[in-house]
Amino acid sequence: MTRKRQAQSRNNSRSPTEVDKQVGRNIRRYRKDLHMTLTELADRLGVSQQQLQKYETGNSRVSASMILTLTDALNIGIEDLFTGTDSYKPARESPIEKARRECRAWIDRANSKETLNQMARVLKAMSGKD
């Protein structure tokens, strides 16, 4: 096979690329940062655990619509999924921003108004402001 043909076959391939693999690693890192299990995130995304695992390992490419669903479920920006790729290298997330993201994730997991109200009271009391 000529070099030109090899390059064309790589470009036309639907196989996961290094970017896809890095996006998968980022999904896993953000999920673990939020102390979420595969089951919890898979349920939020409406996919099986096996499919989520394929995303995280880079064995399956993530669609554009799934990227939006992921960023919502993980409380991150789209650009955060591309951290560490050759095409995108943002500044590191500050510790306070990481903590805020984790707090938002716990709030998003609350399933009742009563639980949310209790969380709000705790946060208000901890802030020292009325």
Side-chain angles (χ1 to χ4, degrees):
M1 193 180 282
T2 67
R3 285 183 186 226
K4 185 176 181 180
R5 183 168 270 168
Q6 285 174 340
Q8 285 176 339
S9 67
R10 275 195 304 263
N11 292 337
N12 294 333
S13 174
R14 294 182 152 239
S15 303
T17 65
E18 282 306 311
V19 171
D20 297 311
K21 291 175 185 178
Q22 183 60 45
V23 168
R25 286 188 290 269
N26 290 336
I27 293 168
R28 179 178 169 84
R29 179 174 57 94
Y30 285 115
R31 175 179 63 80
K32 290 204 165 261
D33 282 353
L34 297 173
H35 309 287
M36 292 177 87
T37 64
L38 272 170
T39 303
E40 288 174 317
L41 184 55
D43 287 347
R44 283 185 174 206
L45 301 175
V47 299
S48 67
Q49 291 177 20
Q50 292 82 2
Q51 183 60 50
L52 177 56
Q53 195 165 31
K54 287 178 184 180
Y55 291 150
E56 288 188 355
T57 59
N59 291 324
S60 284
R61 298 179 108 177
V62 182
S63 69
S65 59
M66 183 55 68
I67 286 175
L68 288 176
T69 305
L70 275 161
T71 58
D72 185 50
L74 296 171
N75 290 310
I76 58 174
I78 292 172
E79 66 279 359
D80 294 324
L81 288 176
F82 295 91
T83 299
T85 63
D86 288 339
S87 58
Y88 185 76
K89 295 184 182 178
R92 280 186 113 27
E93 181 178 43
S94 72
I96 196 159
E97 284 305 315
K98 183 176 178 180
R100 281 189 178 120
R101 185 171 42 80
E102 187 173 0
C103 287
R104 284 191 297 269
W106 284 110
I107 290 167
D108 288 346
R109 288 185 193 176
N111 293 323
S112 72
K113 183 178 178 183
E114 180 181 320
T115 300
L116 282 168
N117 286 334
Q118 289 174 350
M119 292 170 112
R121 284 192 295 273
V122 168
L123 290 170
K124 185 178 180 180
M126 291 180 72
S127 74
K129 299 178 181 178
D130 292 32

